[in-house]
Amino acid sequence: MGKYIVAGNWKMNKLPSETYDYVKEVVEATKGSNCEVVCCTPYVCLAPAIEAAKGTHVKIGAENLHFEDKGAYTGEVSADMLVDLGVQYVIIGHSERREYNNETDETVNLKTKKALEKGLIPIVCVGESLEQREAGITMDLIAIQIKKAFADISAEDAKKVVIAYEPIWAIGTGKTATSDQAEEVCGGIRKILADLYCEKCSLEFTIQYGGSMNPGNAAELMAKPNIDGGLIGGASLVAENFAAITKSC
Ligand code: 13P
C-alpha cells in the first residue's frame, strides 16, 4: 500500500575499505528494481557508501543516531552529522539495540522526532520475542511500541516514517515468519496507525517485514497487501541475494 522500500541492514559487518566496491556492486545488481533500494551501513562505512551511491538509484542509511543536536556525548553521532554526509535514512529501535544498548520506546520516540526534524527518513523497528508471541501478547506489545514511537508526531510527519516489523525470533535464525503471520501483524500495525491518525493516512505508510528474508521467501512475503518491502540483514551482505529480494517487489 505504501511505497515499496527494501533496505539492507549491514549491522556490524563489512569494512570501510570494502564498502565502496560493494555498494557499486549493489548499484549494478539492483538496477531495474521496482522499489526504493537502501543500504544501511555502520557509521564508519557511510562516507565510502555515499561516494559509491552518488548519482545512482541507491540510497544510504545509518543504523542509529543520537537524539540530541550536539554536546558532550562521547562516541555518539548526531542527525546533523548524518545529513552533512548525505545520509537519507536511519534505522531506529532495532531489537538488537533495544537488547544490548538500552534503547527504549522513549528514546525511539526522541530519535524518530529528531530524524524527522532534520529531514532523515526513520525506519522504526518493532517486534515481539518468542516468549511474547507464545504468551499471545504480540499485538498488545506492538501497539505499545507503535503508540510510544509516534507520540507527539503529526500525521503529516508520521507518514514519512517507515515501520519495520521484525519478530525477534526470526532475526538471523533462518526461521522466517510465515507470510500469513507477517501479514497479520503488518495489517494490525496499519489498523493501529488508522486509529492514531486516520484510515486514509494509514494506507500511505510503508510497512516492511524483516527477519530471515531471503530470495526464496521475499516474493511471497511482499505479495501480501500490508507488506511493503523488507529490512534485510544477512542476505544484504551478498549483492546477488540482496538484488534478488529487491526484484521480488
Ligand atoms: P536477518 O535478515 O539476518 O534475519 O536480519 C533481519 C534484521 O534484523 C534486519 O534489521
Side-chain angles (χ1 to χ4, degrees):
M1 293 186 193
K3 166 180 170 184
Y4 272 81
I5 302 174
V6 173
N9 173 10
W10 293 7
K11 308 191 180 185
M12 198 170 74
N13 294 294
K14 298 209 182 281
L15 300 172
S17 60
E18 52 194 15
T19 296
Y20 183 90
D21 286 350
Y22 183 68
V23 172
K24 282 283 181 210
E25 223 184 296
V26 169
V27 168
E28 276 311 306
T30 58
K31 271 185 184 153
S33 300
N34 199 15
C35 62
E36 174 109 315
V37 180
V38 185
C39 291
C40 297
T41 84
Y43 287 142
V44 292
C45 297
L46 288 170
I50 286 160
E51 194 53 36
K54 203 173 275 172
T56 77
H57 62 286
V58 173
K59 307 284 192 290
I60 302 301
E63 298 175 14
N64 183 35
L65 83 167
H66 197 275
F67 52 79
E68 292 291 353
D69 280 331
K70 57 163 73 178
Y73 300 99
T74 303
E76 295 292 343
V77 170
S78 71
D80 284 333
M81 293 172 187
L82 297 177
V83 170
D84 189 57
L85 269 184
V87 170
Q88 289 176 273
Y89 283 80
V90 61
I91 298 173
I92 296 174
H94 192 280
S95 59
E96 289 149 15
R97 294 204 61 83
R98 292 179 191 256
E99 184 176 356
Y100 307 126
N101 299 88
N102 265 333
E103 194 81 87
T104 64
D105 290 333
E106 287 69 31
T107 58
V108 168
N109 175 246
L110 291 171
K111 289 178 178 189
T112 304
K113 286 191 286 196
K114 185 55 69 181
L116 288 167
E117 179 195 326
K118 302 292 182 176
L120 292 164
I121 301 172
I123 301 177
V124 171
C125 303
V126 297
E128 81 289 2
S129 66
L130 186 59
E131 201 181 12
Q132 290 160 333
R133 172 161 283 265
E134 285 172 350
I137 58 169
T138 297
M139 275 330 295
D140 300 318
L141 176 95
I142 302 253
I144 292 169
Q145 288 178 335
I146 298 278
K147 283 178 191 161
K148 289 194 168 179
F150 284 91
D152 309 317
I153 296 179
S154 68
E156 198 190 328
D157 271 346
K159 288 186 284 186
K160 298 173 193 156
V161 177
V162 175
I163 298 171
Y165 166 54
E166 299 207 309
I168 297 169
W169 47 272
I171 296 177
T173 57
K175 212 176 177 184
T176 323
T178 65
S179 55
D180 286 339
Q181 281 173 323
E183 168 64 12
E184 188 184 2
V185 178
C186 291
I189 290 172
R190 215 178 287 284
K191 277 206 194 78
I192 297 163
L193 294 168
D195 289 346
L196 275 182
Y197 297 105
C198 72
E199 186 85 33
K200 188 168 159 282
C201 329
S202 74
L203 304 179
E204 294 175 45
F205 279 82
T206 294
I207 304 177
Q208 300 173 318
Y209 168 78
S212 300
M213 199 189 255
N214 61 48
N217 59 28
E220 186 185 335
L221 285 157
M222 292 193 284
K224 292 290 183 184
N226 286 294
I227 303 178
D228 314 311
L231 186 57
I232 322 299
S236 74
L237 301 174
V238 177
E240 191 189 344
N241 293 342
F242 185 55
I245 298 172
T246 68
K247 289 179 179 171
S248 305
C249 290

